[in-house]
Amino acid sequence: MLVSLSEILRDANLRHYAVGAFNCLSLENVMGAMEAAEALRSPIILQLAEVQFPESPMELMAPLYLEAARRASVPVCVHLDHGQSLETCVRAIRLGFTSVMFDGAALPFDENVAVTSQVARIARAAGVSVEVELGKVGDSGVDTADVFTDVDESVRFVRATGIDALAIAIGNLHGHYVHTPRLNIRRLIEIHEANRLPLVLHGGSGTSEEDFKACIHNGICKINVATAIQRGIMKRIGERLSQKPDEQYIPLKQVMIDASREVVEEHIRLFESDGKAN
Ligand code: 13P
């Protein structure tokens, strides 16, 4: 059942769980993710980031995501992750995505408000939701000064743009953590008290169970996971090839589906979205 981000997050916000948003780069990822969501009766978000377009072009992936969503018996949102321009967001909306993220984090505040407002106006007319990130979620291995989301700035931004979900920076990073991070839950609580809209945690891979729980019980309704799926697949393929060096391609496809399902199931349970699909 294909739904928008606002629809899928409404129940998560009310019942204090998070919906996993999984970056799926292949058919095997999508099949495994959907098997996990169906088996655990969980809502799910399938997403693709603009930086992933070279390997997984949006125009090719969109029909796959959308058909998987329409066939599903659980709610599924099809989301553009880290859209880098108004043009990319509009392309995603025209393809049938039910949610877009405009990532204007590198822009000055006023310019970010201006472009986000344009994206929000177009998206709203199409029944599509909008997510934005404020503050800077760094990339692991890249030396960026951590800049947490500013509470007052977030209030001004949300009021000025009318977005549906806000991604925050509270010490989370994209990619594989060298050390398990400790998230700033106090800042999360302050942002949540000041803004009554669903909050999003990027960089889910490698977060501790304790931090996940603190997040979902304090306003985080969507958690992005990418690296953990890729690592899970690489691990299982490595194991299979070491046991069976002449393994064929078709059984390896099944290994990829199974590994994707395992990682997604593990996160669905951690996010407490299992059993929440009506
Ligand atoms: P990870 O690769 O750290 O799970 O981050 C995913 C993400 O936030 C995509 O936007």
Side-chain angles (χ1 to χ4, degrees), residues 25-39:
L25 304 188
S26 69
L27 172 65
E28 292 77 16
N29 285 174
V30 172
M31 287 175 70
M34 293 312 304
E35 282 178 14
E38 293 277 3

Side-chain angles (χ1 to χ4, degrees), residues 184-194 196 214 218:
N184 188 331
I185 303 300
R186 174 143 304 282
R187 179 64 62 92
L188 163 62
I189 292 168
E190 287 166 7
I191 298 167
H192 187 224
E193 277 170 359
R196 289 287 159 185
N218 288 291

